[in-house]
Amino acid sequence: PACLPHLKEGVDGDVFLIESATMEEGKTTVACNLSANLARAGIRTLLMDCDFQRPRVHQMFSLKNDSGLANAIERINRIDLDSGDLSTCSTADLFFIAAVKKRSGALVIKNQIQELAMAVYFQDGRLIHIQCDHSLESNRLGAMLLTGNFITREQLDDALERQSRTRQPLGYILVNAGYLKRNNLRGPLRLQMEEHLQKLFSWRSGQYTFTPKLSALYNSERIGFAEDYLQFIEDLGRIEGSRMIENELVSRICTTTNENLLVMATGTDAVRLQGPLNLTVITKIFNILKQRFDLIIVDSPPLDAMDGSIPLFELVNGVVLVVKAGHLSVKSLNQAIHRISREKIIGAVLNQVKTKKSGYYYQHRN
């Protein structure tokens, strides 16, 4: 096992897929040699084996294949939200799991150090509301509404007193009491939601529990505007990190004789990459690794294997096609190329070319 390189400053690294039309084109050899040469040039490189049918990268580097990408995917897919500790499963992990599994319910996160708890409500994996149990947090929304002259001090005091008795959301109480128009809540609610998210993602310790389907009971009291916080959540996740997923990756990345070259084998579980669940997980894995490597070289299944390599095209920055000289007809090669988006193909390698010993020669024609 190896430690992931430190986070890079600036832009993320790129992911390149090494592809071939069929087997025996020399694709894996090209991927390994390319990765080794890039590493020798000082480029932090990860070579990842995604050819689950015929994995060979580990053999090229004399590594075991008892743990790898397939095991990481399987482990991430098995993680649930029932209960746990933020020291092993960060807030970023929890939001990702809720989204990828399309969970509905209330995720309650408690921070003993700050003596604070928040209930995060999801509907089919989508964040719909965050409720804080601290009166000062509720009053934050009230302070914004007071500053904007949307409500009076007396109205806020009355709403806060009702909230202390009913535990209903402050916005719901203000609207239901006729103190405020619903649309006046849009801006302040978004600001409060973003503040809650920033606080949650900064917590390094605490416990969480998940109660399914509780959000259905809450819908009648929720003031919602169909706001989309996905990009904001992703940005916070990149900053704060996904401890559980990163730990799963760290334990399955192997070092080589070159400190700039690390390898992730396929692993032992037969995991197919087809379907939205696995592709979403792989996208998350790529996004985490791109923050730590300059380049990720992916050895993929050949096109005719039909085991899920095609969807990976959309997740990478470019595709390099390996062609063995004299191995395929022009028709077969063209058919393979047409299965890849032209804008994704960044080059090709003509492999195992037989050259004349006499070298180059020139022919003069009148």
Side-chain angles (χ1 to χ4, degrees):
C3 292
L4 288 177
H6 296 299
L7 288 170
K8 301 191 290 91
E9 295 182 2
V11 298
D12 288 346
D14 290 325
V15 183
F16 293 142
L17 195 72
I18 311 301
E19 187 58 277
S20 64
T22 186
M23 296 185 297
E24 308 300 334
E25 301 280 332
K27 168 180 56 65
T28 299
T29 301
V30 170
C32 294
N33 288 338
L34 176 61
S35 300
N37 289 332
L38 290 168
R40 281 193 287 270
I43 299 174
R44 291 190 295 183
T45 306
L46 173 67
L47 175 58
M48 179 182 291
D49 195 346
C50 285
D51 191 346
F52 294 95
Q53 301 299 320
R54 298 177 70 249
R56 292 185 56 240
V57 168
H58 66 284
Q59 297 174 356
M60 303 289 283
F61 290 91
S62 300
L63 300 172
K64 294 182 179 180
N65 194 31
D66 53 354
S67 182
L69 178 61
N71 305 88
I73 294 172
E74 191 271 339
R75 170 62 178 161
I76 294 169
N77 285 338
R78 283 196 293 111
I79 294 295
D80 211 334
L81 300 175
D82 292 344
S83 62
D85 196 285
L86 291 182
S87 62
T88 57
C89 197
S90 68
T91 303
D93 293 320
L94 297 176
F95 273 69
F96 174 74
I97 294 167
V100 79
K101 294 192 174 184
K102 299 185 182 303
R103 298 298 302 273
S104 295
L107 174 67
V108 177
I109 305 177
K110 297 181 179 181
N111 186 316
Q112 284 76 14
I113 296 176
Q114 299 186 21
E115 297 183 350
L116 194 63
M118 293 192 191
V120 186
Y121 294 87
F122 294 96
Q123 189 70 48
D124 295 326
R126 181 174 174 272
L127 172 65
I128 58 174
H129 186 70
I130 299 178
Q131 181 74 19
C132 185
D133 71 349
H134 200 291
S135 60
L136 292 178
E137 294 294 329
S138 297
N139 201 31
R140 178 74 179 95
L141 174 62
M144 286 188 285
L145 293 171
L146 277 177
T147 302
N149 294 319
F150 294 113
I151 58 174
T152 66
R153 178 77 252 180
E154 292 75 17
Q155 290 171 335
L156 176 59
D157 289 342
D158 176 59
L160 289 174
E161 190 277 328
R162 295 191 193 189
Q163 185 186 42
S164 65
R165 288 187 288 104
T166 65
R167 306 298 295 172
Q168 292 174 325
L170 182 61
Y172 170 79
I173 294 173
L174 288 168
V175 172
N176 196 49
Y179 295 152
L180 187 70
K181 292 183 178 180
R182 180 178 179 276
N183 199 50
N184 294 139
L185 282 172
R186 180 186 291 272
L189 278 178
R190 184 171 185 91
L191 287 174
Q192 180 174 260
M193 185 80 84
E194 291 178 352
E195 288 179 359
H196 285 339
L197 285 169
Q198 288 175 324
K199 185 181 292 293
L200 272 175
F201 276 74
S202 69
W203 288 355
R204 292 291 181 272
S205 62
Q207 287 73 45
Y208 64 87
T209 56
F210 186 83
T211 304
K213 299 182 180 180
L214 194 59
S215 59
L217 302 176
Y218 180 76
N219 277 339
S220 61
E221 301 175 352
R222 180 169 61 89
I223 304 294
F225 295 96
E227 298 278 8
D228 188 358
Y229 298 94
L230 180 60
Q231 188 59 55
F232 191 74
I233 291 170
E234 288 182 356
D235 292 340
L236 288 174
R238 286 170 57 86
I239 296 171
E240 303 301 334
S242 299
R243 281 186 287 280
M244 182 271 293
I245 298 178
E246 287 196 12
N247 287 337
E248 289 298 325
L249 298 177
V250 167
S251 64
R252 293 174 171 87
I253 292 180
C254 300
T255 57
T256 66
T257 55
N258 188 320
E259 64 179 3
N260 287 323
L261 177 59
L262 286 88
V263 174
M264 178 179 281
T266 60
T268 55
D269 292 340
V271 176
R272 295 177 64 84
L273 303 188
Q274 293 176 333
L277 180 61
N278 282 339
L279 284 177
T280 303
V281 173
I282 291 174
T283 300
K284 180 72 170 180
I285 290 173
F286 280 167
N287 289 338
I288 290 174
L289 295 175
K290 286 193 294 185
Q291 292 181 267
R292 298 179 180 275
F293 290 93
D294 299 317
L295 283 176
I296 300 174
I297 304 298
V298 179
D299 184 26
S300 64
L303 287 168
D304 63 357
M306 295 298 294
D307 64 349
S309 64
I310 294 177
L312 288 179
F313 295 155
E314 302 305 317
L315 308 183
V316 302
N317 299 98
V319 178
V320 177
L321 189 64
V322 178
V323 181
K324 180 179 177 181
H327 190 229
L328 291 177
S329 67
V330 174
K331 180 180 178 180
S332 298
L333 184 57
N334 284 333
Q335 289 176 341
I337 293 175
H338 287 318
R339 297 172 66 183
I340 308 173
S341 300
R342 286 300 180 94
E343 61 270 16
K344 289 290 185 177
I345 299 178
I346 61 173
V349 175
L350 186 58
N351 197 26
Q352 300 184 31
V353 179
K354 296 180 180 179
T355 59
K356 294 183 179 179
K357 294 183 179 180
S358 57
Y360 295 104
Y361 68 92
Y362 297 88
Q363 182 178 11
H364 176 71
R365 294 191 178 187
N366 294 327

